[in-house]
Amino acid sequence: MKLVVTGATGGVGSWIVDHFADEGHDVLGLDLERPSSERENATFLAADLTDQGQAWETVLEHDPDAMVHAAGIPRMGERTGTETFLTNVETTYHVFEAAGRTGADVVWTSSESLYGMPFAAEPFLPDYLPIDEDHPMRPEDGYGTSKLVGEELAAKTVRKHDVSVVSIRPSWVQYPGEYVATDESEAFDPATAEPAGHFWSYVDVRDVVSIVDAALEADVDGHEAYHAMAAENYLGRPTAETIEAVFGDLPEECALEGDQSAFSTAKARRDLNWEPAHSWREAETESVEGPAFLEK
């Protein structure tokens, strides 16, 4: 398969490039800068995908079978909200349009932030737990809103070009041996903790890679969205009890058991035959080599 991966030197994108290159696919990696090293089965090109001409030229010249779009500003707090929104929306618009014009199916990284809770000025509870892909979306920030607009662009691309687009909605991505989330959990006290709009959910980067792989393999018709979260929270505490202790309440409809994630991945299990394989309990101390082409 000929594959274009955007955000190829970023956290998630670099692991995606590594995986598909290992599988023997012909991968073109796009990012603002090329990596310091080469990689068998992968070539890299520096391109600013907020520029329509650069985005279209790189994609149309490569003529891929599929695209994985992982480029963009990954969270609030790195740039202004305005720049975050505009960068992510412009990049996504140009990438989707280029993919549609070349007939390439797309898998891209959306976010659980489009529901609105993670970056809300005043954190609020979901309508029900666990949260599924049909939950109302109420973002107030530039990042979450950029992902909501991105999914509308996905639907538009499907209508206009008759390709498929899969939106993956991961939670806080963690890397084996570098689980930042568990550093937070060591000092966690529900009596003093601040409300967390991701409800202490996370996902291992390797599980993000595997759901991208599953989505590309699946016969998806149109636009579909799927959660990508670990099966449990990263605190090692009962999820419902923790949410109630920190937020002071629970939704009327709550069907969480033990440390079960606040986000359901049942749709991905049903449609993609995917489920998370990694837990913080083993992964936080695992020694796993990341993409070698990023080494200085």
Side-chain angles (χ1 to χ4, degrees), residues 112 170-175 179 181-182 198-205 207-208 228-236 259 261-263 265 274 276-284:
E112 104 276 46
S171 194
W172 190 9
V173 180
Q174 304 293 305
Y175 299 84
Y179 262 52
T182 56
H198 63 342
F199 309 107
W200 303 280
S201 65
Y202 74 100
V203 64
D204 191 288
V205 68
D207 286 328
V208 178
M229 287 83 176
E232 70 290 309
N233 68 56
Y234 60 76
L235 297 175
D259 64 351
S261 174
F263 293 86
T265 57
W274 175 88
H278 299 92
S279 168
W280 65 267
R281 291 179 171 85
E282 298 79 35
E284 66 173 334

Side-chain angles (χ1 to χ4, degrees), residues 168-247:
I168 304 299
R169 299 177 183 169
S171 194
W172 190 9
V173 180
Q174 304 293 305
Y175 299 84
E178 302 176 17
Y179 262 52
V180 178
T182 56
D183 295 338
E184 179 182 305
S185 69
E186 292 175 4
F188 182 83
D189 180 352
T192 58
E194 293 292 326
H198 63 342
F199 309 107
W200 303 280
S201 65
Y202 74 100
V203 64
D204 191 288
V205 68
R206 294 167 292 181
D207 286 328
V208 178
V209 172
S210 70
I211 195 172
V212 168
D213 198 344
L216 287 173
E217 289 289 332
D219 185 18
V220 175
D221 183 22
H223 172 235
E224 293 290 344
Y226 297 99
H227 283 165
M229 287 83 176
E232 70 290 309
N233 68 56
Y234 60 76
L235 297 175
R237 296 170 175 266
T239 307
E241 292 179 20
T242 302
I243 293 172
E244 185 172 26
V246 176
F247 283 79

Side-chain angles (χ1 to χ4, degrees), residues 151-173:
E151 294 204 11
E152 288 298 321
L153 292 175
K156 165 258 186 189
T157 302
V158 167
R159 290 191 297 270
K160 181 178 180 181
H161 296 289
D162 196 28
V163 296
S164 71
V165 182
V166 173
S167 298
I168 304 299
R169 299 177 183 169
S171 194
W172 190 9
V173 180

